[in-house]
Amino acid sequence: MLHIGVDFSITSPCICFWNSSKTHSFENSEFFFLGSSKKTNFPENISFAESSFSKNNMIRFSENAELLLAEIKKRLDKRTRYVIILEGYSMGAKGRLFDIGEATGIFKYFLSQNSISPQIVAPSSIKKHATGKGNANKFQMLDKFLEINTSLRNSTWVTDLITEKRLQAPLPDIVDAFFIANSYTVSYD
């Protein structure tokens, strides 16, 4: 079954595509993210598109939803068994909450217009499955990701996106999408 894990955000949404007949690993996954610029050279299984630059939220959110949906549809046909897993809202979120809700709603609308119904998984469930802690931070999630994918520990693209105090996009989005794609097996398979 094709697992499609979506780490949705306004600034750097990321999708992980993983065929569950293979071991859940970075090498067996494909990633697609939207962003404002390419910050490093990524391996072949990570692709990228420029995020919409419209100042109008409705236009920007719709254009980004179209880009994400197009990437999903590229991998689907009538014979493909798949599940789309979308991370639910974080109850501790701060900042542009209404924008996040509107953008996510538009993305869900685009999915529904294409007869795609995502499974919603709580962020705490994803974190608990990944690290054993439902309140894991971004660095703890990255540590678990690198523990599973040891070949990435010294990869330039990974180290380029880590600073002492924060992880730069799209690294935390790739990590989250990776674990979101696997969260369905825990809850539903």
Side-chain angles (χ1 to χ4, degrees), residues 10 26 31 44 46 56 73 75 80 102 134 138 153 187:
I10 294 172
F26 176 80
F31 299 87
E44 288 182 15
I46 299 177
N56 179 310
K73 287 173 67 175
R75 290 165 174 83
T80 304
E102 289 172 1
K138 296 291 184 188
R153 285 189 180 147
S187 304

Side-chain angles (χ1 to χ4, degrees), residues 4-72:
I4 303 168
V6 181
D7 180 47
F8 193 84
S9 70
I10 294 172
T11 55
S12 183
C14 183
I15 303 173
C16 174
F17 300 92
W18 166 58
N19 183 331
S20 65
S21 68
K22 298 179 180 179
T23 303
H24 187 231
S25 68
F26 176 80
E27 290 80 12
N28 290 332
S29 302
E30 291 179 52
F31 299 87
F32 174 78
F33 73 93
L34 296 177
S36 58
S37 66
K38 189 172 177 182
K39 297 176 181 175
T40 189
N41 290 320
F42 292 100
E44 288 182 15
N45 63 335
I46 299 177
S47 58
F48 160 86
E50 290 284 331
S51 187
S52 172
F53 291 108
S54 176
K55 300 246 188 256
N56 179 310
N57 279 352
M58 183 67 78
I59 292 170
R60 187 171 77 251
F61 298 161
S62 296
E63 288 174 350
N64 286 343
E66 284 178 17
L67 289 167
L68 295 170
L69 180 62
E71 206 57 37
I72 290 168

